[in-house]
Amino acid sequence: MKEKNFENKVKDFLKQEGCWYVKYWSGQSLTGKKFTKDGIPDLLACIGGWFVGIELKADKGKPSDLQIVNLKKIHDADGFGILLYPEDFDTFKELVEAVKGNHIERTLDIYEELKERWWSKWEQVHKSL
């Protein structure tokens, strides 16, 4: 699945679930001047009162080191930093349902499941900094 198609699928789901989100775009002007900061997750959301940063990737997409660092910073600030692939979309939907239902233990278990899939990448990046 292409990343843009996946992004639209995630945004449609968040909208359907009544979650607030904004698409973060890291762009630049025609002169090359940066408008925004690099490495920020694609979607910034508030789900059931929780801050969630979602970096979306196509099936074989790879996050940059800076994207991983920012997901870790969100995690360290007690938010949810999620690197989301299409194969994990059903698990992400479970997370949203658990958050909205205020099922804290279930929410944390699902988040840990998602996080474990990219956490080793963070450890590799951290060692190289």
Side-chain angles (χ1 to χ4, degrees), residues 117-128:
R117 297 177 190 186
W118 62 265
W119 195 260
S120 63
K121 173 80 170 146
W122 151 252
E123 290 171 337
Q124 293 169 4
V125 170
H126 185 67
K127 287 177 187 174
S128 69

Side-chain angles (χ1 to χ4, degrees), residues 56-73:
L56 300 163
K57 293 296 173 192
D59 294 319
K60 296 183 186 205
K62 295 188 186 209
S64 71
D65 290 351
L66 187 54
Q67 289 169 331
I68 293 293
V69 166
N70 280 314
L71 291 175
K72 176 70 168 71
K73 285 181 178 180

Side-chain angles (χ1 to χ4, degrees), residues 61-114:
K62 295 188 186 209
S64 71
D65 290 351
L66 187 54
Q67 289 169 331
I68 293 293
V69 166
N70 280 314
L71 291 175
K72 176 70 168 71
K73 285 181 178 180
I74 291 168
H75 170 81
D76 289 346
D78 293 331
F80 294 140
I82 298 173
L83 177 60
L84 187 60
Y85 287 90
E87 68 189 40
D88 298 322
F89 185 54
D90 287 337
T91 305
F92 175 75
K93 290 192 295 188
E94 289 178 34
L95 175 77
V96 170
E97 290 170 14
V99 170
K100 288 181 59 184
N102 204 27
H103 303 291
I104 303 300
E105 190 172 315
R106 178 78 178 126
T107 297
L108 296 176
D109 287 346
I110 297 168
Y111 174 61
E112 287 299 317
E113 181 182 336
L114 287 169

